[in-house]
Amino acid sequence: MAQVRTRFAPSPTGYLHIGGARTALFNYLFARHHGGKFILRIEDTDRERSTPEAIQAILEAMTWLGLDYDEGPLYQTERYPLYKEKIRELLIAGKAYPCTCTAAELDAKRQLAQKEKRKPAYDGTCRPANGAIPTLPTDKPFTVRFRSPRDGATVVKDLIKGDVVFDNRELDDLIIARSDGTPTYNFCVVADDIDMDITHIIRGDDHLSNTPRQIQLYQALGRELPQFAHVPLILGTDKARLSKRHGATSVTAYRDLGYFPEAVVNYLVRLAWSYGDQEIFSRQELIEKFSLENVGKSAGVFNPEKFLWVNSHYLKSKALSELAEEVVPFIEVKGYAVPRDKKWLEKMIATLRERTKTMADLVDAAHYYLADEIFLDEKAAQKFLTRDTAAPIQSLIDKLSTLGDFNESTVEQAFARTLEEHGLQMGKLAQPVRVALTGSTVSPGIHDVIAVLGKERTIRRLKNALLRLQG
């Protein structure tokens, strides 16, 4: 078998969305599994909608996901001479022809077809007789149409769906060059895939209707067909096509929400592909195990809760030193000063990662660690910071103040002595202290919270609570 060559070919009209990222991932894994090449091609021929910002966003998302490509990015707008040559080749062979039908005439044909309840398709007004080589008009604008076969069928031998048959009578003569000479999407794709020696075209189900036209272009150009694999679409939980109403749909949106690239890759690959009951895969495992045989035919259902679960797995299992580096941008976004002590950050994260699912959630939960001052929840303060807690809190302040080595163990001992001294159960002191230190009734273990906050901030907040009581 020739060396496997796959490609991902996004149109830069917006961010890299979840469906596109999964397509890129499948092409990447297939190429890596077979020791082949993975090519990135930017299909930017739509000048009105393509933007440099969208191109940059796609490149950033690919880098963040770790989908490194062997060739590219290659841009279609830099390849017009190739397309012009191939169109000329088809014209000379009588396999394409100029069409002088105006937009108004074509619109009238469409409206008549709809009125007569026929499929709106080009009727072949400008199509020459069989074998005739057309002459290009010099006195009026024209498009170039591909001369599609009118008899028989075109069969897509799909590696996932099996054989899909299209009646050639349903395929009208495709425009391959506009009146200004610019080539159209389906033609550019074929010319590029031939030129780049693409062996396998792995893409979304929504491209299947384009495939018979592209197969006919391959055949007209006398080239061997690549192998096609159309991956089922991703649906929302309501079984509608994934859209913004189902949540964030771009890769960079999930990055900014605090998802890990490993989690995004792991979750996306499982939306149509499986390997037994295994849920979590390393990058190397994915490369070793990935195959198109294990891609299902049914649409993948995007489940936000399952996605969060996958991300939380990585949050809980990553090294604290790694998380301490990765949390920094999320601290900055929230406007907090970034602590210089990475070991302190590791301790902070260790108290919160079992309770949160994304890095953004973790920083939100860490507000009482990262802020110098906190605001007390008024209901919690009224319930727990009562006058009978003043003496135990003062006693705890006295004991914490004398600690030389301030850690979980010594804090726990100071807490235990205070409880014994005042004859209290743990909750009777822990909750008032928790409210005083964090502003609410929910937090990690109180000894851990105090150890992470440190002596100075802990004592200052406890004293502020006493001032409140006295006031």
Side-chain angles (χ1 to χ4, degrees):
M1 187 170 97
Q3 183 189 55
V4 165
R5 289 175 63 84
T6 66
R7 49 74 162 176
F8 175 53
S11 296
T13 56
Y15 295 102
L16 179 61
H17 57 80
I18 289 296
R22 186 190 62 172
T23 297
L25 175 60
F26 280 16
N27 279 280
Y28 165 87
L29 292 174
F30 188 81
R32 293 288 175 265
H33 177 81
H34 290 282
K37 300 292 184 183
F38 173 52
I39 295 105
L40 175 63
R41 183 173 75 225
I42 305 295
E43 299 192 336
D44 57 344
T45 53
D46 186 341
R47 293 296 189 92
E48 291 184 5
R49 298 176 62 215
S50 298
T51 66
E53 293 77 16
I55 292 172
Q56 187 58 36
I58 289 169
L59 297 179
E60 284 181 8
M62 295 282 286
T63 299
W64 184 69
L65 291 172
L67 302 182
D68 53 302
Y69 34 90
D70 303 293
E71 297 174 21
L74 306 171
Y75 297 89
Q76 284 189 329
T77 48
E78 298 174 357
R79 300 170 61 79
Y80 281 149
L82 170 68
Y83 309 140
K84 187 174 181 180
E85 175 193 333
K86 295 297 182 186
I87 289 171
R88 182 171 175 273
E89 184 180 326
L90 291 176
L91 284 167
I92 290 173
K95 296 176 180 178
Y97 60 91
C99 174
T100 57
C101 294
T102 65
E105 289 170 339
L106 293 173
D107 188 52
K109 293 176 192 291
R110 277 192 294 270
Q111 289 184 25
L112 179 61
Q114 289 171 351
K115 185 177 180 180
E116 296 177 351
K117 297 184 178 180
R118 292 183 288 108
K119 181 179 177 180
Y122 182 62
D123 61 4
T125 299
C126 296
R127 180 179 170 124
N130 285 344
I133 296 181
T135 302
L136 301 183
T138 57
D139 57 343
K140 59 178 69 175
F142 62 91
T143 60
V144 177
R145 288 184 181 271
F146 173 65
R147 187 189 184 98
S148 177
R150 289 188 165 176
D151 300 320
T154 299
V155 180
V156 179
K157 294 184 176 299
D158 196 275
L159 295 173
I160 294 172
K161 296 180 170 298
D163 288 358
V164 184
V165 180
F166 292 84
D167 188 334
N168 287 340
R169 290 173 298 181
E170 296 294 311
L171 305 173
D172 61 357
D173 289 354
L174 173 73
I175 292 176
I176 59 176
R178 303 178 184 90
S179 58
D180 63 0
T182 58
T184 57
Y185 168 77
N186 276 301
F187 183 77
C188 292
V189 166
V190 172
D192 283 334
D193 288 339
I194 289 173
D195 187 60
M196 295 174 189
D197 295 321
I198 301 302
T199 62
H200 293 77
I201 295 176
I202 305 168
R203 57 190 179 189
D205 232 343
D206 50 337
H207 286 280
L208 180 60
S209 60
N210 291 323
T211 306
R213 296 186 180 278
Q214 293 171 9
I215 287 175
Q216 290 178 359
L217 285 167
Y218 268 96
Q219 292 168 338
L221 290 165
R223 298 305 180 100
E224 184 179 346
L225 294 178
Q227 295 191 64
F228 292 94
H230 289 88
V231 180
L233 297 178
I234 300 175
L235 305 180
T237 50
D238 58 358
K239 301 303 172 67
R241 186 168 178 174
L242 192 66
S243 66
K244 288 183 179 179
R245 74 175 182 275
H246 297 109
T249 57
S250 76
V251 169
T252 46
Y254 283 103
R255 177 196 65 189
D256 296 343
L257 286 170
Y259 285 71
F260 299 107
E262 302 95 325
V264 177
V265 165
N266 208 133
Y267 184 70
L268 288 184
V269 79
R270 292 285 286 108
L271 290 175
W273 177 83
S274 62
Y275 191 85
D277 295 328
Q278 188 171 344
E279 291 285 353
I280 303 298
F281 298 84
S282 69
R283 179 66 59 102
Q284 192 54 42
E285 281 181 311
L286 287 176
I287 291 172
E288 290 173 1
K289 300 178 186 302
F290 186 81
S291 70
L292 293 175
E293 287 78 10
N294 286 336
V295 174
K297 296 181 181 180
S298 302
V301 176
F302 185 85
N303 185 329
E305 291 302 316
K306 179 70 174 293
F307 197 180
L308 275 173
W309 175 83
V310 173
N311 199 69
S312 68
H313 165 83
Y314 285 95
L315 180 56
K316 293 171 185 176
S317 60
K318 278 195 171 201
L320 288 170
S321 58
E322 191 176 350
L323 293 173
E325 295 290 339
E326 295 184 11
V327 78
V328 169
F330 297 95
I331 294 175
E332 292 173 335
V333 164
K334 290 294 181 180
Y336 298 120
V338 178
R340 294 183 179 180
D341 186 347
K342 289 296 189 288
K343 289 296 181 185
W344 182 87
L345 271 177
E346 290 178 23
K347 290 180 181 178
M348 180 196 83
I349 292 168
T351 68
L352 295 170
R353 65 175 174 177
E354 293 292 333
R355 297 166 165 264
T356 54
K357 294 181 179 179
T358 71
M359 293 299 266
D361 289 345
L362 189 145
V363 171
D364 284 340
H367 66 92
Y368 48 82
Y369 288 137
L370 298 168
D372 287 332
E373 302 296 336
I374 61 165
F375 296 95
L376 304 187
D377 177 88
E378 197 57 37
K379 288 185 178 179
Q382 288 180 9
K383 180 176 181 180
F384 292 103
L385 292 177
T386 57
R387 291 190 178 277
D388 59 354
T389 63
I393 289 176
Q394 182 61 62
S395 180
L396 181 61
I397 291 172
D398 294 340
K399 291 175 177 57
L400 294 175
S401 299
T402 63
L403 294 180
D405 189 7
F406 202 85
N407 57 46
E408 291 90 340
S409 177
T410 58
V411 166
E412 185 176 359
Q413 292 170 19
F415 226 93
R417 293 202 306 274
T418 304
L419 293 173
E420 184 178 359
E421 184 179 307
H422 292 271
L424 296 174
Q425 296 293 318
M426 181 66 177
K428 293 296 184 180
L429 180 58
Q431 279 300 75
V433 169
R434 180 174 281 111
V435 172
L437 298 182
T438 71
S440 74
T441 58
V442 179
S443 79
I446 194 62
H447 304 140
D448 295 331
V449 170
I450 292 173
V452 173
L453 275 175
K455 181 190 287 189
E456 181 183 342
R457 284 196 293 174
T458 296
I459 292 173
R460 183 171 73 244
R461 290 182 188 180
L462 289 176
K463 285 182 175 179
N464 286 341
L466 283 181
L467 287 173
R468 175 193 170 94
L469 291 174
Q470 293 165 0

